[in-house]
Amino acid sequence: MIRTIILGMALLYFCRPLLSDSLSVLLITGRNNHDWQSTTPVLEKLYNDHPRFTIDKTLRSDDLNHRQLSQYHVVLSTWSAWPDVNGRQWGREAEQALLDFVRRGNGFVLFHSAGATFHDWPEYQQLIGAIWDKGKTGHGKRHCFKVCINRSGHPVTAGMSGFWIYDAN
């Protein structure tokens, strides 16, 4: 899990130009088919402990609006309505605020099952690029695989080398 989160931090790093001294992150959480009550504090601590990030969280994704999102560089979502993959649970205002946020060049990163929701929100599906499709997709076979570091000279990956990991989740 920690390596997955580290890779998530790397993704966040690329969401804004390197000129930015710090990145403010809004974590959307509060609903998920996995144990969001345990993972949320881990994510908060991980980002708060890194000098590049400040993180706030909301449990009210349906309250998202343009004014609120204007305070952040990146939205990080662990929110999922699985198995209720249809339905516009956030509401139109929150949906539009997120889409406009990304159109303005800000970052949107999701973790794992946050892609397993909003099957009837086409813009969200386009934004995330891949979905967990109920009855059609699933966890692949658990196996050991190598993570390769292709840009070891980049500040995010400086000092890192490839590693093997077992996909146990």
Side-chain angles (χ1 to χ4, degrees), residues 6-48:
I6 290 169
L7 293 174
M9 286 180 69
L11 289 173
L12 287 177
Y13 186 90
F14 291 109
C15 290
R16 291 296 281 186
L18 296 175
L19 301 174
S20 179
D21 291 332
S22 66
L23 297 175
S24 54
V25 179
L26 177 63
L27 171 61
I28 302 174
T29 188
R31 184 171 178 187
N32 194 296
N33 58 308
H34 296 299
D35 185 9
W36 66 268
Q37 294 94 335
S38 295
T39 57
T40 296
V42 172
L43 286 169
E44 288 178 294
K45 180 173 179 5
L46 186 68
Y47 288 98
N48 276 325

Side-chain angles (χ1 to χ4, degrees), residues 3 143-148 161-167:
R3 289 204 169 130
H143 63 287
C144 194
F145 62 94
K146 184 170 185 177
V147 175
C148 298
S161 58
F163 56 90
W164 287 90
I165 190 167
Y166 181 73
D167 178 20

